[in-house]
Amino acid sequence: MQGFPILSVMLAVPAVAAIACLFLNAQGARMLALVATLVDFVLGIVLWMNFDIGGAQWQYVEHAPG
């Protein structure tokens, strides 16, 4: 998972889906919301599975180039 901005993706997925839902009908918006929720759920499980209990305190940190 090193190098993949999983935290940023977990924030971006629902935000992008919410904006996209504005342009869909009710059924399409529900399906998109479900897909976005499931994607975030899977990413959360990936984070949980890769968490090292005895590891460093800050395991999932992203650094923006500046």
Side-chain angles (χ1 to χ4, degrees):
M1 293 292 353
Q2 201 133 24
F4 182 72
I6 194 165
L7 296 176
S8 295
V9 172
M10 287 184 75
L11 289 173
V13 167
V16 170
I19 292 169
C21 282
L22 294 173
F23 302 102
L24 297 173
N25 60 16
Q27 185 64 26
R30 282 190 202 104
M31 291 305 296
L32 181 58
L34 175 63
V35 169
T37 301
L38 291 175
V39 168
D40 256 8
F41 180 66
V42 169
L43 290 173
I45 289 174
V46 169
L47 282 177
W48 179 57
M49 297 295 289
N50 289 319
F51 186 78
D52 183 17
I53 293 174
Q57 181 179 4
W58 300 101
Q59 294 183 30
Y60 300 109
V61 178
E62 294 181 21
H63 298 284

